[in-house]
Amino acid sequence: MLSVYTDFIRIRFLTMLAYRVNYYTGILIYSMNIGVYYFTYKAIYGDAGSIGGFSAAQMTTYVAVSWMARAFYFNNLDREISTEIRDGSIAIQMIRPYNYVLVKVMQGLGEGMFRFLLFMIPGMAIAMLLFPVTLPTDPVAWISFLVMLFFSFLINTQINIITGLTAFFVENNEGMMRMKRVVVDLFSGLILPISLFPGWLATFAQWLPFQAITYLPGSVFTGRVKGVGIWNVLGIQIIWLIVLLVPMIIIWRLARRRLFVQGG
Amino acid sequence: MMYYLGLISEYLKNYMKSRLTYRADFWVEVVSDLLFQATNLIFILVIFMHTDSLGGWSENEVVFVYGFFMVPYGLFSCFVNLWNFSERYIVKGELDRVMTRPAHNLFQIFLENVDPPALVGSAIGLVIMGISGAQMDLHMAWWFIPALIIMSLSAVAIYTGIYTILTSISFFSDAPTGIIPLMYNMQSYGRYPVTIYNRAIQVVLTWILPFAFVGVYPASLFLHREDMQHMALLTPVMGAVFLTLGLLAWNFGIRRYRGAGS
């Protein structure tokens, strides 16, 4: 049974590999985004030593690592799911002997593995050539970052699946998906590290799952969080992973009872 | 001319009819657009909690530039939407249908993709300009409104020119190139004072992909920033040049169009 699911990882990986040329522009896009933030932060720092607990060098690294981590955990599962709901092909998948949601996670993982090898790693190399990124030397930071990256992927995927499944309840969830993307980019700390937020907004962000996607792993990788702090971060990620299972399962249960296919 | 204006109103009427069936979605789209602009604004506001100036520009000035940036951007997103051109018109072959009609093909494509919710962004942009302008005691001179109209239209012309040139590439290459999303990211460089970038990027943003002319340069005219005012006056010229280049590239490209199989 397990091999069915691992096959989904493999197939998605190979599909992505067939279209890999599209990803070269993706690397450029991410490098340019890093560029905007790099120059903006450079102008802000000027002579200032540290802002929001980040030194200028740490901030550059944080920006580069956050975007490259996004290159790994990002996927379009929300769009895939809502398309399959609207064109009705989900009905066929529901009667097949596998769990649809789990299959989506596996496909996302296949895509993530592709993005890790052919997007994140070369992208990081290019970012390091263009911007003064300093990688940590502490192996603990590396290992914990890689583990956390996997949790980032899982949490982000859960959020994508929940967003995609809303297509069962609203006829057109295009706006919802766009809104989700904006909210995730802002509150994950991709655009701004959460420690820079004003107090009330930072507190608000800390009660949301999104910080576990980018901000917390990025803090570990840049060395702002060390020792016991690393275990706290991992704990927060695991808690959110479990908490998000609840709405996902509830929505999926409800959804199966009210599938109606528009056209198709 | 009257013929073309008539077409615009007909297409907008059609748009409203099809949109009213998904009324809630219209508002969700407006809100999500605004939320996207809000994150950029939050970025600026948070940045200025940690610094007094960005490359010699104050918070109100940067916010004002962003407000101005939103005005032409909203107009552009509403009337010129080439995002899916290659997939929809070339791969699916809809261009054949467009080309059998009398109105200019590019104009029809623009009209078929109008996106009025984007105009809400322009309106918010004006409000942001008003608020930050008031905080700086910016005196409203008589020439502000005509200048705003000219500058916004020139900026829209620059956007249209750049994106039309890039879209014309799809007449020559079969595969979607991914260049357009690339440019959407380049734009964000134009929102901030260009002086914070290194020399090479400044040259690119001024002369090659002139995104500085859709934000910071024209806005500096209203802010009375003497360092950039002479660049602001160049905006209409750049608009005319890039729009012409865009149309030339398009007309050249479409002559090569042979239609996909199917």
Side-chain angles (χ1 to χ4, degrees), chain B residues 1-258:
Chain B
M1 192 62 197
M2 279 316 290
Y3 170 65
Y4 279 95
L5 287 178
L7 278 181
I8 295 180
S9 80
E10 285 303 317
Y11 268 101
L12 284 176
K13 264 185 232 157
N14 256 338
Y15 173 88
M16 288 320 288
K17 273 184 219 152
S18 64
R19 253 328 166 69
L20 285 173
T21 48
Y22 286 113
R23 214 171 304 192
D25 189 57
F26 177 90
W27 290 108
V28 176
E29 200 175 311
V30 169
V31 171
S32 67
D33 270 2
L34 291 183
L35 213 60
F36 175 70
Q37 306 290 0
T39 55
N40 291 318
L41 216 52
I42 290 172
F43 180 76
I44 296 173
L45 297 178
V46 170
I47 286 306
F48 278 98
M49 295 172 71
H50 300 274
T51 184
D52 298 327
S53 84
L54 200 62
W57 293 60
S58 73
E59 174 170 6
N60 279 322
E61 284 175 320
V62 174
V63 171
F64 185 91
V65 170
Y66 192 68
F68 173 81
F69 169 87
M70 286 174 75
V71 176
Y73 184 68
L75 286 169
F76 166 74
S77 313
C78 171
F79 292 107
V80 184
N81 187 348
L82 291 168
W83 183 266
N84 273 327
F85 173 77
S86 180
E87 287 81 42
R88 179 170 169 190
Y89 289 92
I90 295 190
V91 178
K92 286 195 184 156
E94 289 203 35
L95 196 59
D96 298 352
R97 167 178 58 82
V98 168
M99 286 180 73
T100 56
R101 293 179 182 167
H104 189 269
N105 43 58
L106 184 59
F107 184 74
Q108 287 183 60
I109 289 166
F110 287 164
L111 280 182
E112 284 182 359
N113 294 292
V114 283
D115 185 29
L119 288 178
V120 179
S122 296
I124 305 275
L126 289 173
V127 173
I128 291 173
M129 283 172 81
I131 294 172
S132 57
Q135 286 188 346
M136 287 182 285
D137 283 330
L138 211 61
H139 291 294
M140 180 89 177
W142 64 269
W143 51 267
F144 262 38
I145 289 172
L148 184 65
I149 294 171
I150 293 170
M151 288 299 166
S152 302
L153 292 179
S154 311
V156 173
I158 292 173
Y159 276 126
T160 311
I162 295 175
Y163 285 102
T164 310
I165 294 171
L166 294 173
T167 308
S168 306
I169 296 173
S170 43
F171 290 120
F172 301 92
S173 120
D174 295 331
T177 50
I179 292 180
I180 299 240
L182 203 68
M183 285 311 120
Y184 269 82
N185 287 285
M186 262 320 260
Q187 277 170 200
S188 33
Y189 277 89
R191 298 200 299 251
Y192 304 109
V194 280
T195 38
I196 66 173
Y197 304 121
N198 68 23
R199 197 75 205 117
I201 295 182
Q202 286 187 35
V203 171
V204 171
L205 287 175
T206 307
W207 305 116
I208 300 170
L209 294 164
F211 285 122
F213 282 103
V214 301
V216 67
Y217 287 152
S220 68
L221 185 71
F222 306 102
L223 291 168
H224 306 288
R225 295 219 31 141
E226 277 157 22
D227 50 340
M228 279 184 189
Q229 277 188 342
H230 56 288
M231 295 306 279
L233 298 176
L234 262 180
T235 311
V237 180
M238 293 300 276
V241 169
F242 272 80
L243 190 59
T244 312
L245 287 176
L247 291 177
L248 287 176
W250 179 269
N251 286 334
F252 179 71
I254 204 149
R255 249 179 280 136
R256 300 241 332 195
Y257 174 72
R258 298 248 180 282

Side-chain angles (χ1 to χ4, degrees), chain A residues 29 32-33 44 178-179 196, chain B residues 29 33 50 182 185 189:
Chain A
I29 293 173
M32 275 169 27
N33 281 324
I44 304 164
R178 270 204 253 171
M179 216 181 287
L196 259 61
Chain B
E29 200 175 311
D33 270 2
H50 300 274
L182 203 68
N185 287 285
Y189 277 89

